[in-house]
Protein backbone atom coordinates (compact mmCIF):
# COMPACT_ATOMS: atom_id res chain seq x y z
CA UNK A 1 0.00 0.00 0.00
CA UNK A 2 1.33 3.41 -0.96
CA UNK A 3 1.65 5.88 1.92
CA UNK A 4 1.09 9.46 0.80
CA UNK A 5 2.48 12.66 2.27
CA UNK A 6 0.77 16.01 1.83
CA UNK A 7 2.84 18.57 -0.07
CA UNK A 8 2.81 22.25 0.91
CA UNK A 9 3.03 25.43 -1.13
CA UNK A 10 5.13 28.48 -0.20
CA UNK A 11 2.29 29.78 2.00
CA UNK A 12 2.10 26.52 3.97
CA UNK A 13 -1.14 25.35 2.40
CA UNK A 14 -1.77 21.81 1.11
CA UNK A 15 -0.69 21.48 -2.53
CA UNK A 16 -1.20 17.86 -3.53
CA UNK A 17 0.30 14.57 -2.42
CA UNK A 18 3.34 12.42 -3.14
CA UNK A 19 4.43 8.87 -2.44
CA UNK A 20 6.32 8.91 0.88
CA UNK A 21 8.78 6.32 -0.43
CA UNK A 22 9.72 8.64 -3.31
CA UNK A 23 9.40 12.15 -1.85
CA UNK A 24 12.64 12.24 0.20
CA UNK A 25 15.43 12.96 -2.27
CA UNK A 26 18.18 15.53 -2.76
CA UNK A 27 15.37 17.87 -3.89
CA UNK A 28 12.61 17.06 -1.37
CA UNK A 29 9.56 19.31 -1.74
CA UNK A 30 8.10 21.08 1.28
CA UNK A 31 5.58 18.77 2.96
CA UNK A 32 3.67 18.27 6.19
CA UNK A 33 5.00 16.18 9.08
CA UNK A 34 5.01 16.17 12.88
CA UNK A 35 7.51 15.53 15.64
CA UNK A 36 6.51 13.97 18.97
CA UNK A 37 8.20 13.91 22.36
CA UNK A 38 7.15 11.50 25.11
CA UNK A 39 7.58 12.32 28.79
CA UNK A 40 6.90 10.27 31.89
CA UNK A 41 7.74 12.00 35.14
CA UNK A 42 11.01 13.84 34.55
CA UNK A 43 12.16 11.30 31.94
CA UNK A 44 12.11 11.92 28.19
CA UNK A 45 11.99 9.10 25.67
CA UNK A 46 14.79 9.13 23.09
CA UNK A 47 14.87 6.67 20.24
CA UNK A 48 17.69 5.60 17.97
CA UNK A 49 16.45 5.46 14.39
CA UNK A 50 16.56 2.04 12.76
CA UNK A 51 19.68 1.41 10.70
CA UNK A 52 17.44 0.70 7.71
CA UNK A 53 15.94 4.23 7.72
CA UNK A 54 16.58 6.21 4.55
CA UNK A 55 17.52 9.40 6.39
CA UNK A 56 19.60 9.69 9.54
CA UNK A 57 19.87 5.93 10.17
CA UNK A 58 21.11 5.07 13.65
CA UNK A 59 20.80 8.67 14.90
CA UNK A 60 19.34 9.44 18.34
CA UNK A 61 16.23 11.60 18.21
CA UNK A 62 12.99 12.43 19.98
CA UNK A 63 10.41 9.67 20.49
CA UNK A 64 8.95 9.54 16.97
CA UNK A 65 8.00 11.52 13.88
CA UNK A 66 5.74 10.99 10.90
CA UNK A 67 3.56 12.45 8.18
CA UNK A 68 -0.19 13.03 8.27
CA UNK A 69 -2.03 11.48 5.36
CA UNK A 70 -4.45 13.38 3.14
CA UNK A 71 -7.35 14.66 5.26
CA UNK A 72 -5.87 13.26 8.49
CA UNK A 73 -5.71 15.53 11.55
CA UNK A 74 -2.12 15.79 12.76
CA UNK A 75 -2.99 14.90 16.37
CA UNK A 76 -4.66 11.72 15.06
CA UNK A 77 -1.48 10.93 13.13
CA UNK A 78 0.57 11.30 16.33
CA UNK A 79 -1.64 8.73 18.06
CA UNK A 80 -1.50 6.36 15.06
CA UNK A 81 2.29 6.59 14.74
CA UNK A 82 2.87 6.08 18.50
CA UNK A 83 1.13 2.76 18.13
CA UNK A 84 2.92 1.86 14.88
CA UNK A 85 6.45 2.87 15.91
CA UNK A 86 6.42 2.16 19.65
CA UNK A 87 3.38 -0.07 20.21
CA UNK A 88 2.34 2.61 22.68
CA UNK A 89 -1.23 3.70 23.40
CA UNK A 90 -1.02 7.41 24.21
CA UNK A 91 -3.32 10.11 25.55
CA UNK A 92 -4.16 13.14 23.41
CA UNK A 93 -0.89 14.89 22.52
CA UNK A 94 -0.27 18.52 23.45
CA UNK A 95 0.77 20.89 20.65
CA UNK A 96 3.88 22.78 21.81
CA UNK A 97 5.38 24.34 18.66
CA UNK A 98 2.57 24.78 16.11
CA UNK A 99 4.67 26.70 13.57
CA UNK A 100 7.90 24.71 13.63
CA UNK A 101 9.47 23.93 10.26
CA UNK A 102 12.95 22.99 9.19
CA UNK A 103 15.16 21.95 6.32
CA UNK A 104 18.12 19.63 6.87
CA UNK A 105 20.42 17.61 4.62
CA UNK A 106 21.54 14.11 5.60
CA UNK A 107 25.16 13.09 4.97
CA UNK A 108 23.85 11.02 2.05
CA UNK A 109 22.47 14.20 0.44
CA UNK A 110 18.80 13.45 1.14
CA UNK A 111 16.83 16.47 2.27
CA UNK A 112 14.15 16.76 4.93
CA UNK A 113 12.01 19.85 4.28
CA UNK A 114 8.98 19.91 6.53
CA UNK A 115 6.28 21.96 8.15
CA UNK A 116 6.53 20.00 11.36
CA UNK A 117 4.42 20.94 14.40
CA UNK A 118 5.90 19.58 17.61
CA UNK A 119 3.81 17.64 20.13
CA UNK A 120 4.37 16.47 23.68
CA UNK A 121 2.83 13.25 24.96
CA UNK A 122 2.71 13.19 28.74
CA UNK A 123 2.17 9.63 29.85
CA UNK A 124 -0.06 9.46 32.88
CA UNK A 125 0.94 7.83 36.16
CA UNK A 126 -1.03 4.69 35.39
CA UNK A 127 1.23 3.94 32.41
CA UNK A 128 4.38 4.35 34.50
CA UNK A 129 2.90 2.33 37.36
CA UNK A 130 2.47 -0.63 35.02
CA UNK A 131 6.23 -0.76 34.51
CA UNK A 132 8.18 -3.31 36.52
CA UNK A 133 9.21 -0.88 39.26
CA UNK A 134 6.84 2.01 38.57
CA UNK A 135 9.42 4.37 37.03
CA UNK A 136 9.73 5.63 33.49
CA UNK A 137 13.27 4.41 33.08
CA UNK A 138 11.90 0.88 33.41
CA UNK A 139 8.91 1.44 31.13
CA UNK A 140 9.22 -1.41 28.67
CA UNK A 141 8.33 -0.58 25.12
CA UNK A 142 8.10 -2.91 22.19
CA UNK A 143 9.26 -0.71 19.30
CA UNK A 144 8.83 -1.60 15.65
CA UNK A 145 12.36 -2.65 14.55
CA UNK A 146 11.80 -1.08 11.10
CA UNK A 147 11.48 2.28 12.85
CA UNK A 148 13.45 2.11 16.11
CA UNK A 149 16.80 0.44 16.76
CA UNK A 150 16.80 1.13 20.51
CA UNK A 151 15.50 3.59 23.07
CA UNK A 152 16.42 5.24 26.36
CA UNK A 153 14.62 7.22 29.04
CA UNK A 154 16.73 10.25 29.95
CA UNK A 155 16.49 13.15 32.36
CA UNK A 156 15.11 16.25 30.61
CA UNK A 157 17.84 18.57 31.90
CA UNK A 158 20.60 16.13 30.96
CA UNK A 159 19.17 15.85 27.43
CA UNK A 160 19.06 19.61 26.98
CA UNK A 161 22.65 19.91 28.21
CA UNK A 162 23.80 17.10 25.91
CA UNK A 163 22.05 18.56 22.85
CA UNK A 164 23.59 21.97 23.53
CA UNK A 165 27.09 20.51 24.02
CA UNK A 166 27.06 17.85 21.27
CA UNK A 167 24.41 18.70 18.66
CA UNK A 168 26.14 16.42 16.13
CA UNK A 169 25.12 13.40 18.23
CA UNK A 170 21.39 13.97 17.61
CA UNK A 171 19.00 14.48 14.72
CA UNK A 172 18.99 18.04 13.39
CA UNK A 173 15.28 18.45 14.12
CA UNK A 174 15.77 17.43 17.77
CA UNK A 175 18.46 20.09 18.15
CA UNK A 176 16.40 22.77 16.36
CA UNK A 177 13.27 21.93 18.35
CA UNK A 178 15.20 22.13 21.62
CA UNK A 179 16.40 25.62 20.68
CA UNK A 180 12.85 26.82 21.42
CA UNK A 181 12.22 27.80 25.04
CA UNK A 182 8.60 26.64 24.85
CA UNK A 183 9.70 23.04 24.30
CA UNK A 184 12.48 23.19 26.90
CA UNK A 185 10.03 24.44 29.50
CA UNK A 186 7.41 21.83 28.60
CA UNK A 187 9.98 19.03 28.93
CA UNK A 188 11.18 20.31 32.31
CA UNK A 189 7.69 20.32 33.93
Amino acid sequence: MTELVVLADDQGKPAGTADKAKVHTADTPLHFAFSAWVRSGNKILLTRRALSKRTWPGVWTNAFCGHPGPGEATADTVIRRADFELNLDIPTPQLILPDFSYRAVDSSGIVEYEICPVYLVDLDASVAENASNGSADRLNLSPNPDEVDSYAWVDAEELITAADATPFAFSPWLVEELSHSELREALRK
Side-chain angles (χ1 to χ4, degrees):
M1 186 170 129
T2 300
E3 184 177 353
L4 297 175
V5 298
V6 179
L7 303 176
D9 65 19
D10 292 339
Q11 289 76 43
K13 304 290 184 208
T17 61
D19 183 342
K20 178 186 170 190
K22 296 177 182 173
V23 77
H24 295 99
T25 66
D27 192 30
T28 301
L30 181 62
H31 60 280
F32 292 94
F34 75 87
S35 184
W37 294 75
V38 174
R39 178 183 64 208
S40 183
N42 70 338
K43 299 291 186 177
I44 305 301
L45 177 63
L46 288 185
T47 59
R48 183 173 182 235
R49 291 171 60 85
L51 297 176
S52 60
K53 296 292 275 182
R54 185 172 179 158
T55 59
W56 285 274
V59 172
W60 285 95
T61 194
N62 55 295
F64 61 99
C65 298
H67 303 86
E72 184 177 30
T74 306
D76 292 341
T77 308
V78 174
I79 293 167
R80 175 176 60 83
R81 294 298 297 187
D83 181 51
F84 178 76
E85 292 195 29
L86 301 171
N87 291 305
L88 185 62
D89 184 27
I90 62 169
T92 301
Q94 177 186 359
L95 182 59
I96 302 295
L97 300 174
D99 300 318
F100 181 77
S101 63
Y102 75 100
R103 185 180 186 281
V105 182
D106 183 77
S107 61
S108 70
I110 295 176
V111 173
E112 285 282 10
Y113 188 31
E114 299 177 335
I115 296 173
C116 189
V118 177
Y119 288 82
L120 175 62
V121 175
D122 196 358
L123 298 179
D124 62 23
S126 65
V127 172
E129 287 170 11
N130 288 329
S132 60
N133 73 352
S135 64
D137 58 351
R138 298 287 186 218
L139 184 62
N140 293 318
L141 299 176
S142 173
N144 178 338
D146 293 332
E147 299 292 330
V148 176
D149 175 79
S150 50
Y151 68 92
W153 289 96
V154 299
D155 179 80
E157 204 58 50
E158 290 174 2
L159 171 61
I160 292 167
T161 299
D164 287 346
T166 58
F168 52 83
F170 301 98
S171 70
W173 57 90
L174 175 145
V175 174
E176 278 194 54
E177 291 169 16
L178 279 178
S179 73
H180 293 266
S181 60
E182 300 93 336
L183 180 59
R184 286 181 181 227
E185 292 309 310
L187 295 177
R188 288 174 170 142
K189 288 182 183 177

